[in-house]
Amino acid sequence: QNPLPQGNPINGLWASSPSDVWAVGSRGTILHYDGVAWKPSVSGSARNLYNIWGADATHVFAVGDSGVLLRWDGTAWQREKSGTVETLLGVWGSSAKDVWVAGDAGTLLRYDGAGWSAERSGTTSQLASVWGTGPSDVWAVGAQGTARHYDGQLWGRSNTGINETLQAVFG
């Protein structure tokens, strides 16, 4: 859309359908596309937001600077207690009750439908992205070729053989 509906850079995008598209960006920017027009949505945060993912139209999660973690409940954005001040960069889930967040300093968080808990990633490298095929097959990647795999029990190291930063993982 040109001109842009607002002036902040957009960092992440997620859609449940052509009439339910979410975008997040700098300074707490959240935009929603309803199939007709983009409209701003009040995030309640002035922090940069980097990524967004949802299980459906009423369970959407956004992550950003200083441990900011937001959850859309179908009506409004709610601030969640992440338990960290690290920048959160990636978010993905297998359902509304199984959501993963990755971030700086090897941060991995998991949501079980009731609350967030920290997971041991086995690295202090930045984890920029997280994605999986289900609750027992989750991947996180990031700085210096870091790759971690979750098998439903533990996060293990996966050797990529490269030293470049991996910005995203998807399959």
Side-chain angles (χ1 to χ4, degrees):
Q1 185 177 18
N2 195 358
L4 296 174
Q6 51 76 44
N8 295 323
I10 299 299
N11 299 318
L13 187 72
W14 176 82
S16 68
S17 73
S19 61
D20 185 32
V21 182
W22 290 95
V24 296
S26 296
R27 295 188 280 189
T29 297
I30 299 182
L31 303 172
H32 183 250
Y33 182 73
D34 62 8
V36 177
W38 286 98
K39 296 175 185 160
S41 185
V42 177
S43 70
S45 176
R47 303 282 185 187
N48 294 333
L49 301 173
Y50 297 109
N51 216 323
I52 187 165
W53 175 87
D56 53 48
T58 60
H59 296 91
V60 183
F61 301 85
V63 298
D65 279 341
S66 302
V68 169
L69 208 160
L70 306 172
R71 182 178 51 86
W72 174 256
D73 63 10
T75 305
W77 288 97
Q78 308 295 324
R79 181 113 183 219
E80 300 273 300
K81 292 183 180 182
S82 68
T84 186
V85 295
E86 298 294 342
T87 294
L88 304 175
L89 298 165
V91 58
W92 172 87
S94 65
S95 73
K97 294 183 179 182
D98 183 41
V99 181
W100 291 93
V101 169
D104 283 355
T107 301
L108 282 172
L109 305 175
R110 188 174 193 184
Y111 181 71
D112 63 6
W116 293 92
S117 60
E119 295 280 323
R120 293 174 55 106
S121 67
T123 185
T124 57
S125 293
Q126 178 193 70
L127 295 172
S129 181
V130 61
W131 177 85
T133 63
S136 61
D137 182 31
V138 183
W139 291 87
V141 300
Q144 300 161 330
T146 300
R148 295 291 187 264
H149 180 254
Y150 181 74
D151 63 7
Q153 303 273 329
L154 299 169
W155 283 92
R157 182 175 185 256
S158 182
N159 187 3
T160 63
I162 62 171
N163 198 31
E164 286 80 16
T165 296
L166 301 170
Q167 297 288 348
V169 59
F170 190 78

